[in-house]
Amino acid sequence: MGAEAMWWEPVVAVAIFPGVLTAILLAFFYQWFDRRVAARMQNRYGPIYVGKWGLLQPIADFVKLMTKQDITPKGAVRPVFTAVPIIYFALVLYLFFYIPITGITGLVSFQGDLLLFFAVTTFEVLFTTLGGWSSRSPYSQVGGIRGALQLLGYETPLELALLLPAVLTGSFRIADIVEYQVARGVPLAGPLLIAFILAFIGLQAEMERLPFDVPEAETEIVAGWLTEYSGKKLALLRLAADIKFVVSAGLIVALFLGGPYPLVCELPPMSPWLETIVLTAIFLAKLTAVIFVFTWLKVVMARFRIDQVLHVCWTFLVPLAVLQLVLVYGYLTLAPFLGW
């Protein structure tokens, strides 16, 4: 029985909790949350008809897209056009496994995992350009080019901001950064306030949300790089975007807010199952707060032009990120001499 339990435990973790099924359910729920909060801020109702308070509307939308006709444009580069949604979804789902939801570590954890996380996110964003190029539609190609240009703008300040917790803690492992905050009882959002703010801005651009939604920009280029996608392909891309929303918020929770730990107090002794439930509840509370901020940013901001995105990133965000880096290195240099 012991061997059988050991064999099934990782399978259940990857497939159900905190794995694939959890990622999909959280994606649906926080899509609903995002739409409801944005609607209330704009004096609208938002989803209300499917399920209690409209909770099932994201699932209904996904099922509807899955049943629609899947059309591939005649001039499209078919192998690339077909592969982009599948690989994009797989990469985003893989990133979810790095997020610590029930403890110090996620399903995937090793020394240097934060660097691989950045590499995968950058590689995944490039599929925006591939998807637009392979569609051979002028709207899609313009959206894909905008996605590549936007990447050149926000990627540098974003990665600097997200690497600063690793520099301060001396480890490029997400679990070590969480453990550092738990041991000291202080979230890194305080000492790394500039990086914390830059992470919100950069990840908003990474997710192509207002004011950084120029690769899609429905009022200008229909749906940008997504214009020619339909049916199952569009359903996968939309679901991937919702999972990426959760992953981005979860990364901020892990790097700056202590992951699933309360920090203000120590947890009393409890059974492993109860501890898992408590830590998951704390993580979801923090995740909800972070997602609320992302939604607020989306609602109160108007879309930037692509030249404005690059100007803001290189003129303001990069110098701020470098300033925070200098402050961190200054602290690390002086701390041993001052007994900090």
Side-chain angles (χ1 to χ4, degrees), residues 289-308:
V290 171
I291 284 178
F292 178 85
V293 176
F294 277 134
T295 302
W296 177 80
L297 287 172
K298 181 185 77 170
V299 172
V300 302
M301 300 292 289
R303 179 185 304 130
F304 290 147
R305 298 193 310 267
I306 186 61
D307 61 300
Q308 291 173 328

Side-chain angles (χ1 to χ4, degrees), residues 132-288:
W133 169 78
S134 65
S135 300
R136 294 300 173 90
S137 159
Y139 300 111
S140 301
Q141 290 179 334
V142 169
I145 293 170
R146 285 183 176 188
L149 287 174
Q150 182 164 276
L151 176 68
L152 295 176
Y154 71 79
E155 190 73 6
T156 299
L158 173 61
E159 294 200 2
L160 278 174
L162 296 179
L163 280 174
L164 281 167
V167 173
L168 183 60
T169 59
S171 174
F172 289 98
R173 186 182 181 212
I174 297 174
D176 291 341
I177 297 173
V178 174
E179 195 168 10
Y180 179 93
Q181 298 172 83
V182 174
R184 287 158 180 77
V186 177
L188 291 179
L192 297 177
L193 181 60
I194 298 176
F196 182 56
I197 295 172
L198 292 178
F200 270 105
I201 298 172
L203 287 171
Q204 192 85 339
E206 179 96 34
M207 294 183 289
E208 298 176 5
R209 291 165 58 86
L210 279 168
F212 303 104
D213 67 334
V214 287
E216 297 181 22
E218 61 181 14
T219 56
E220 303 168 20
I221 48 175
V222 188
W225 71 280
L226 292 171
T227 299
E228 299 299 334
Y229 282 101
S230 60
K232 297 178 179 63
K233 297 185 184 71
L234 184 59
L236 271 183
L237 289 170
R238 291 299 187 192
L239 180 57
D242 293 335
I243 295 176
K244 188 175 181 179
F245 190 28
V246 175
V247 169
S248 299
L251 186 63
I252 288 182
V253 171
L255 298 184
F256 294 98
L257 299 176
Y261 291 88
L263 297 185
V264 295
C265 62
E266 292 186 5
L267 292 175
M270 59 184 71
S271 67
W273 282 101
L274 182 58
E275 183 178 8
T276 297
I277 293 172
V278 170
L279 292 178
T280 302
I282 295 172
F283 173 82
L284 291 178
K286 294 180 181 181
L287 188 73
T288 302

Side-chain angles (χ1 to χ4, degrees), residues 302-316:
R303 179 185 304 130
F304 290 147
R305 298 193 310 267
I306 186 61
D307 61 300
Q308 291 173 328
V309 172
L310 296 175
H311 175 73
V312 168
C313 288
W314 284 103
T315 306
F316 299 103

Side-chain angles (χ1 to χ4, degrees), residues 318-332:
V318 171
L320 285 172
V322 173
L323 172 62
Q324 180 76 90
L325 181 63
V326 170
L327 292 174
V328 169
Y329 269 110
Y331 167 78
L332 293 175

Side-chain angles (χ1 to χ4, degrees), residues 32-48 53-54 292 295 299:
W32 170 85
F33 179 82
D34 179 55
R35 292 166 66 179
R36 288 284 287 191
V37 171
R40 289 301 182 185
M41 288 181 176
Q42 297 170 337
N43 199 26
R44 299 183 290 107
Y45 283 109
I48 58 174
W53 305 303
F292 178 85
T295 302
V299 172

Side-chain angles (χ1 to χ4, degrees), residues 26-99:
L26 287 178
F28 285 143
F29 173 77
Y30 282 109
Q31 183 205 127
W32 170 85
F33 179 82
D34 179 55
R35 292 166 66 179
R36 288 284 287 191
V37 171
R40 289 301 182 185
M41 288 181 176
Q42 297 170 337
N43 199 26
R44 299 183 290 107
Y45 283 109
I48 58 174
Y49 293 110
V50 185
K52 185 71 171 178
W53 305 303
L55 271 169
L56 299 181
Q57 186 65 55
I59 300 176
D61 293 342
F62 179 77
V63 172
K64 179 184 73 173
L65 281 175
M66 291 293 287
T67 58
K68 282 185 173 291
Q69 184 178 6
D70 195 343
I71 301 172
T72 300
K74 186 176 181 180
V77 183
R78 185 178 292 269
V80 179
F81 184 81
T82 303
V84 163
I86 299 171
I87 300 175
Y88 188 90
F89 176 78
L91 290 175
V92 173
L93 191 59
Y94 171 67
L95 291 177
F96 181 81
F97 294 160
Y98 285 82
I99 306 301

